[in-house]
Amino acid sequence: MFNNKKLILFFIFILLIDFNVAANSTLESLQLTQILKDDYDGVDGLGNPRSVKILMDNSKVFVSSGDDNAFAIFNVDNNFNLALSQIFKNSSTNINGLEGASGVAYLEQGDQVVVTGFYDGALTQFSKNKNSYRFNKTISDGLHYERIFKSDVSVGKLDTLGLLGAWDVIKTHNEKQLLVASYMSNAVAIFDITSDGRILFNRAIKDARPLENSLGKPVSLALSSLNDELYVLGFDNHQLTIFDRKDGGSYW
């Protein structure tokens, strides 16, 4: 019996060694390749970076910048080194909706990117044009920053889209809808995506009744793998709200 116990302990010891070696091997396989910094070596669009998305083929990386009020696009080479390709800023001609740029979502349908602007209360759409991207349009109620963030008077019915303080944006798995977490609107704004790539407002969810009157000022969203449950993080109320998409289908 004593020898058996010693033998069992020996095998456990060997297993632990193998596990630690495997873990260390995994860590060692993560190799540093590059660091990019805002305003160094021609890099721009990384001032207070808030979201990053990578194309499935690893050809491009998209970054939103809250301080640069920008949407930056980086090309990726075969060694996964990044080089700035394009940058869109609110200060650029005819570009708007990127003040406090936050969330980024990529739509394979039509090769489009959408970016939320926290201070602009906006959803800005970019679409591919040959080998680059171009500004398409901005969806917004057009309310000024001062009116949204510094006025004591409620915006009330002026908030028609539920995009004020737009932070996070995600897509449904079938790419038929976009969902936006909007802090100042205290809402989840829902947009339908048409077959030709247009983004159309559907409605805004502004409460969690009968359980709660508020979503707690949403800042982050996630959909379940089956596309049937929506998770909403409410920053101010320290709240996680879960909605069931009744049929797990395309629409709310």
Side-chain angles (χ1 to χ4, degrees), residues 19-246:
F19 175 80
N20 288 330
V21 168
N24 287 333
S25 298
T26 302
L27 289 174
E28 290 173 0
S29 67
L30 189 63
Q31 299 293 323
L32 177 65
T33 60
Q34 189 182 22
I35 294 176
L36 287 79
K37 288 191 175 184
D38 196 45
D39 297 330
Y40 284 88
D41 297 327
V43 173
D44 198 0
L46 292 181
N48 186 6
R50 295 187 176 176
S51 186
V52 58
K53 293 291 185 294
I54 307 167
L55 288 186
M56 290 292 291
D57 63 2
N58 288 337
S59 63
K60 291 188 184 294
V61 170
F62 306 118
V63 178
S64 64
S65 167
D67 283 356
D68 285 337
N69 305 312
F71 165 55
I73 302 172
F74 295 85
N75 287 335
V76 187
D77 67 17
N78 292 333
N79 296 316
F80 211 78
N81 287 308
L82 276 63
L84 182 64
S85 171
Q86 290 177 271
I87 187 164
F88 300 91
K89 293 187 175 184
N90 258 14
S91 57
S92 305
T93 305
N94 298 323
I95 302 292
N96 55 68
L98 295 176
E99 195 77 14
S102 300
V104 176
Y106 173 71
L107 303 174
E108 291 185 23
Q109 178 178 294
D111 208 341
Q112 300 182 82
V113 186
V114 290
V115 183
T116 56
F118 181 76
Y119 293 115
D120 274 340
L123 185 66
T124 302
Q125 182 183 12
F126 300 86
S127 57
K128 192 170 184 180
N129 181 28
K130 295 183 179 179
N131 293 322
S132 61
Y133 285 81
R134 62 178 176 82
F135 169 74
N136 193 345
K137 70 173 184 176
T138 294
I139 301 170
S140 172
D141 282 320
L143 299 177
H144 192 270
Y145 162 84
E146 300 279 344
R147 182 69 178 87
I148 301 170
F149 291 92
K150 294 192 174 182
S151 174
D152 293 329
V153 180
S154 172
V155 296
K157 293 182 179 180
L158 296 176
D159 180 12
T160 65
L161 297 172
L163 284 177
L164 306 184
W167 190 271
D168 195 16
V169 57
I170 62 172
K171 63 181 180 181
T172 53
H173 304 324
N174 52 20
E175 293 199 349
K176 290 192 175 182
Q177 287 188 314
L178 283 172
L179 309 173
V180 181
S182 300
Y183 179 85
M184 295 301 290
S185 288
N186 197 6
V188 175
I190 302 171
F191 293 84
D192 297 332
I193 305 170
T194 65
S195 58
D196 59 357
R198 290 177 296 135
I199 298 172
L200 305 176
F201 177 68
N202 179 314
R203 69 189 185 98
I205 301 173
K206 294 193 174 184
D207 61 64
R209 294 173 183 166
L211 302 180
E212 290 286 342
N213 292 329
S214 169
L215 296 180
K217 297 293 190 73
V219 293
S220 184
L221 303 171
L223 273 172
S224 64
S225 59
L226 295 178
N227 217 39
D228 57 355
E229 287 185 323
L230 173 66
Y231 295 81
V232 184
L233 284 182
F235 182 84
D236 279 13
N237 287 10
H238 316 287
Q239 177 177 324
L240 172 60
T241 304
I242 304 166
F243 291 96
D244 178 32
R245 304 182 81 217
K246 293 181 181 178

